[in-house]
């Protein structure tokens, strides 16, 4: 068996075929105890409804009910079961566990789902591509909420994510990676053979997402052959190289074994023992989060990867509207709770600032030191003094978020009416400055007040408008392009803030997306939990702490970049093109 780790971009046609043979770890060995394999059928309940699938559970001879076992899930599991097949999954696990090359591990071999027809004159719906090539989180949800709980009813499974692995080939390979990517809190080890990182359902985007995203604690083994598919969806050979290069760029523990085969497992089958041995090596030590090493790996310029989000306030109903005060403390709203809270930056403790807020949502401090608010329930725009005084700027308006300029211009979004409004500094005139966006939500100015930026949360665009001398806006463009996953084409772009470099920070479903001045997402900071972010602001007296509102809680994290005071114009440096 020949293995090569050198990646070549030479045309596949120039590569001579190599012959790969199964080694001793893929053969039955005397003295090696055999685990037990049991076949089951599963009918999906909530996720992939109507589908039926077979799955097999392998339990090693070393399993003891009083000790939680590791878990390895194999997609296209039907292809691994036979001892005389190409993959020989249970046999390989028997040998590796016996040799101590991996811990006692329960193998779950899962077939893709099919939806049977109601009668013989109708066709079956085959779910494999929908489940496996989909870039969303549905398959991970299926494993975690439906299938694996069935296995847990009979066997004791570890709860440590370092003890969970995924394996697959072709579409099952990309499925293994995407599932771990969405759920690193459950899966940390990935084996992908001839992975379909091409545009069957958007898989060609994975490499760029990896490069932009805050690294996750994953270990990834990849394999492909130089004669793999080159079809309408792309080149599998190039796609696998692209994903490996992205993982390496971000500092992941990754290995790419290359060969000369086409889209088959003639190479992957014989090296299955090596792949499994590699992902389980050093078992007992947790898989670390990479620190990033590539040039212009922007996450490292935004936050310290070694840090994490710290919860500073919880047990609310829905948090929104974080705003930094002149002393660096941060105020936020609990919209349905009709409360405004204040976080003392020095202590991280929250205290109630105001009750009965009229369902206040978006907040921002102005140059006058007052706290401006969108009162969605009372249908007003108001400002609060620190002594509790309240001043009404506009009535009979629906609103969600707002921002101010140093002169006192107020801009606020009106999502139901698809409008953005302007109130002049004297509060004498309110006017619509733009309309027609599908759902205008977050709004912020550029640090120099030259541009008004509006998030349309029901698609992937942040609009940029030029602010005119009279407060109106012109020359609008869908300028910033948000990243989205398959489960929803809406970015969920919500509250926003900027830093002193002119970069834009957008709270979204995917995470905290950071855009450079030319409008490109250059970094995606991980969310503190699986839900969406609703808003973001820089806080602290030096504006070097990111605060985010997320569901019923507020989190913060040290930042390398610094924010800008909303009432002090800053001219950002000229961007590189």
């Amino acid at each position: 068996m020949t293995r090569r780790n050198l990646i070549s971009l030479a045309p596949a046609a120039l590569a001579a075929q190599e012959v790969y043979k199964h080694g001793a770890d893929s053969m039955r060995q005397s003295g090696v105890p055999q685990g037990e394999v049991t076949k089951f059928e599963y009918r999906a309940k909530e996720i992939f409804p109507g589908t039926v699938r077979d799955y097999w559970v392998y339990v090693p001879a070393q399993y003891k009910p009083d000790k939680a076992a590791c878990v390895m899930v194999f997609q296209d599991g039907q292809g691994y079961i036979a001892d005389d097949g190409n993959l020989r999954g249970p046999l390989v696990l028997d040998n590796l566990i016996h040799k101590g090359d991996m811990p006692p591990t329960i193998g779950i071999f899962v077939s893709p789902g099919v939806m049977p027809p109601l009668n013989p004159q109708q066709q079956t719906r085959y779910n494999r591509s929908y489940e496996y090539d989909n870039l969303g989180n549905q398959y991970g949800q299926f494993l975690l909420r439906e299938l694996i709980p069935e296995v847990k009813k009979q066997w004791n499974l570890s709860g440590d994510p370092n003890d969970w692995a995924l394996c697959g080939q072709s579409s099952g390979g990309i499925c293994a990676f995407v599932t771990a990517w969405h759920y690193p809190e459950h899966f940390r080890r990935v084996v992908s053979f001839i992975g379909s990182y091409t545009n069957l359902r958007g898989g060609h985007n994975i490499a760029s997402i990896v490069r932009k995203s805050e690294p996750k604690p994953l270990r990834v083994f990849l394999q492909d052959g130089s004669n793999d598919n080159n079809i309408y969806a792309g080149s599998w050979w190039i796609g696998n190289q692209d994903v490996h290069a992205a993982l390496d760029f971000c500092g992941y523990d990754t290995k790419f074994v290359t060969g000369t085969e086409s889209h088959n497992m003639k190479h992957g089958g014989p090296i299955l023992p090596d792949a499994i041995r590699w992902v389980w090596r050093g078992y007992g030590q947790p898989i670390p989060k990479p620190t990033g090493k590539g040039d212009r790996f922007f996450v490292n310029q935004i936050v310290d990867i070694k840090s994490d989000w710290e919860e500073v306030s919880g047990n609310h109903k829905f948090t929104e509207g974080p705003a930094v005060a002149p002393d660096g403390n941060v105020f936020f709203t609990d919209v349905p709770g009709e409360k405004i809270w204040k976080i003392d930056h020095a202590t991280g403790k929250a205290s109630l600032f105001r009750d009965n807020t009229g369902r206040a949502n978006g907040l921002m401090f102005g140059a006058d030191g007052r706290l401006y608010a969108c009162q969605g329930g009372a249908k007003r725009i108001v400002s609060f003094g620190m002594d509790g005084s309240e001043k009404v700027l506009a009535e009979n308006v629906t609103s969600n978020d707002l921002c101010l300029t140093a002169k006192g211009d107020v801009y606020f979004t009106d999502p139901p009416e698809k409008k953005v409004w302007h109130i002049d500094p004297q509060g004498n005139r309110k006017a619509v400055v733009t309309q027609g966006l599908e759902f205008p939500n977050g709004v912020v100015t550029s640090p120099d007040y030259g541009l008004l930026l509006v998030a349309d949360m029901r698609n992937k665009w942040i609009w940029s408008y030029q602010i005119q001398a009279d407060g109106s806006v012109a020359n609008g463009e869908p300028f910033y392009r948000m990243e989205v996953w398959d489960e929803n084409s809406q970015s969920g772009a919500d509250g926003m803030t900027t830093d002193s470099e002119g970069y834009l920070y957008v709270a979204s479903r995917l995470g905290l997306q950071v855009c450079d001045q030319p409008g490109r997402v250059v970094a995606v900071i991980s969310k503190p939990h699986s839900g969406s972010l609703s808003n973001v602001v820089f806080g602290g007296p030096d504006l070097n702490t990111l605060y985010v509102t997320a569901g019923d809680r507020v989190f913060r994290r040290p930042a390398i970049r610094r924010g800008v005071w909303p009432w002090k114009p800053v001219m950002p440096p000229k961007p590189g093109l």
Side-chain angles (χ1 to χ4, degrees):
M1 179 178 69
T2 301
R3 289 189 298 159
R4 300 176 304 174
N5 287 291
L6 177 64
I7 302 172
S8 170
L9 293 175
L14 298 180
Q17 294 291 106
E18 298 181 8
V19 178
Y20 307 98
K21 296 181 179 180
H22 290 85
D25 288 330
S26 298
M27 309 290 185
R28 281 290 171 201
Q29 304 292 322
S30 61
V32 175
Q34 294 187 27
E36 182 179 353
V37 178
T38 307
K39 183 180 180 180
F40 300 89
E41 180 183 88
Y42 184 76
R43 295 182 177 272
K45 300 179 179 66
E46 179 183 352
I47 304 166
F48 311 132
T51 61
V52 181
R53 74 195 67 225
D54 293 330
Y55 71 100
W56 295 257
V57 177
Y58 159 85
V59 181
Q62 297 84 350
Y63 170 75
K64 298 183 184 303
D66 60 347
K67 183 174 176 56
C70 296
V71 181
M72 192 162 188
V73 182
F74 296 78
Q75 279 56 243
D76 287 314
Q78 70 282 359
Y80 289 82
I81 300 303
D83 278 6
D84 59 353
N86 196 27
L87 293 169
R88 311 177 187 181
L91 188 161
V92 168
L93 294 182
D94 281 341
N95 288 331
L96 296 184
I97 293 170
H98 177 71
K99 293 171 66 175
D101 289 341
M102 65 183 297
T105 300
I106 288 180
I108 306 174
F109 298 83
V110 189
S111 294
V114 296
M115 187 180 72
L118 296 178
N119 61 65
Q121 286 71 48
Q122 297 173 335
Q123 71 175 23
T124 298
R125 186 175 73 189
Y126 297 93
N127 245 39
R128 184 173 183 270
S129 179
Y130 176 66
E131 292 178 9
Y132 287 1
D133 295 314
N134 193 315
L135 299 189
N137 64 1
Q138 296 97 317
Y139 188 77
Q141 286 284 299
F142 169 73
L143 291 181
L144 295 169
R145 291 167 51 187
E146 294 199 33
L147 191 68
I148 292 177
E150 289 295 314
V151 179
K152 284 184 175 180
K153 291 177 181 178
Q154 298 190 50
W155 294 282
N156 185 9
L157 307 184
S158 170
D160 185 343
N162 293 286
D163 292 352
W164 286 35
L166 290 153
C167 178
Q169 68 269 12
S170 187
S171 294
I174 188 176
C175 176
F177 178 82
V178 169
T179 300
W181 184 263
H182 280 297
Y183 296 104
E185 69 274 21
H186 293 286
F187 301 97
R188 296 279 169 91
R189 305 171 196 268
V190 177
V191 175
S192 169
F193 297 107
I194 56 174
S196 300
Y197 302 102
T198 58
N199 196 15
L200 292 173
R201 290 179 179 265
H204 62 300
N205 291 315
I206 287 177
S208 65
I209 292 289
V210 169
R211 288 176 179 269
K212 295 177 181 181
S213 298
E214 182 172 354
K216 304 169 186 286
L218 300 177
R219 177 180 291 170
V220 183
F221 179 97
L222 301 167
Q223 174 274 335
D224 198 28
S226 55
N227 286 292
D228 203 346
N229 286 343
N230 185 14
I231 59 172
Y232 70 94
S235 164
W236 268 242
W237 174 235
I238 292 175
N240 276 272
Q241 293 178 66
D242 202 10
V243 170
H244 176 257
L247 291 167
D248 184 66
F249 171 82
C250 298
Y252 281 87
D253 184 8
T254 182
K255 184 174 186 177
F256 184 25
V257 175
T258 66
T260 59
E261 271 300 332
S262 57
H263 199 67
N264 57 53
M265 289 297 288
K266 292 179 180 179
H267 182 201
I271 69 169
L272 177 64
D274 293 335
I276 294 177
R277 182 183 293 112
W278 185 85
V279 296
W280 285 103
R281 76 189 196 283
Y283 175 72
Q285 297 297 318
I287 294 177
K289 185 166 67 170
T291 56
K293 65 178 186 179
D295 180 43
R296 288 201 284 181
F297 179 65
F298 279 96
V299 175
N300 270 339
Q301 299 181 20
I302 307 299
V303 295
D304 180 356
I305 293 177
K306 296 178 182 178
S307 71
D308 207 346
W309 293 103
E310 170 198 7
E311 182 177 331
V312 289
S313 189
N315 297 317
H316 304 287
K317 294 181 179 179
F318 181 75
T319 60
E320 247 286 11
V324 61
D327 57 6
N329 293 326
V330 171
F331 290 65
F332 70 93
T333 60
D334 180 350
V335 181
E338 298 202 50
K339 293 177 172 60
I340 297 177
W341 295 82
K342 171 187 173 183
I343 297 173
D344 183 284
H345 178 77
T347 65
K349 304 297 183 183
S351 59
L352 184 64
F353 169 71
R354 189 177 180 91
D355 207 347
N356 301 314
T357 63
R359 292 181 66 87
N361 192 339
L363 302 175
M364 183 172 281
F365 277 88
D368 55 5
R370 295 179 68 85
L371 180 61
Y372 289 72
C374 295
Q375 284 187 328
K379 293 192 173 183
R380 302 188 304 182
I381 305 296
V382 302
S383 68
F384 301 111
M386 294 301 95
D387 59 358
S389 61
E390 180 177 312
K391 177 182 177 182
V392 178
L393 282 77
E395 295 186 282
N396 300 316
V397 294
T398 53
S399 61
N400 180 77
D401 201 2
L402 85 172
C403 66
L404 289 82
T405 68
K407 296 188 302 180
D409 295 271
V410 177
Y411 295 91
F412 66 91
T413 53
D414 178 353
E417 298 298 324
K418 306 181 186 300
K419 296 175 180 177
V420 180
W421 293 79
H422 169 248
I423 303 174
D424 72 319
Q426 292 72 40
N428 297 325
R429 183 173 60 88
K430 116 175 154 277
V432 174
V433 291
T434 187
Q435 57 186 323
L437 275 66
E438 192 170 351
F439 199 86
N441 196 337
V443 61
V444 70
T445 65
S446 58
D448 58 2
Y449 303 119
L451 303 170
L452 184 71
L453 312 176
V454 183
D456 191 341
M457 74 178 307
R458 289 187 178 166
N459 54 48
K460 59 188 176 186
W461 300 109
I462 308 296
W463 282 72
S464 173
Y465 302 88
Q466 187 177 49
I467 298 176
Q468 306 299 295
D470 61 356
S472 63
V473 301
N475 306 320
E477 293 180 341
F479 191 73
Y480 298 88
R481 182 186 184 277
M482 296 288 96
E483 299 286 356
V484 296
W485 280 114
D486 273 10
E487 65 266 24
N488 199 320
S489 60
Q490 300 178 11
S491 68
D494 200 334
M496 303 182 290
T497 194
T498 59
D499 68 22
S500 59
E501 300 289 314
Y503 281 50
L504 178 68
Y505 296 64
V506 185
S508 76
R509 288 193 175 95
L510 192 62
L512 184 59
Q513 302 195 42
V514 184
C515 305
D516 63 8
Q517 288 189 49
R520 305 166 294 203
V521 174
V522 297
V524 181
I525 311 302
S526 296
K527 299 179 290 185
H529 59 69
S530 60
S532 292
L533 303 180
S534 59
N535 216 323
V536 58
V537 74
F538 280 92
D542 297 321
L543 296 179
N544 59 357
T545 301
L546 281 165
Y547 283 81
V548 294
T549 49
D552 61 348
R553 288 170 282 174
V554 182
F555 298 83
R556 69 179 180 182
R557 184 173 183 177
I560 295 171
R561 292 285 182 90
R562 292 176 182 269
V564 293
W565 299 108
W567 51 87
K568 293 182 180 179
V570 172
M571 175 63 74
K574 182 179 179 180
L577 300 180

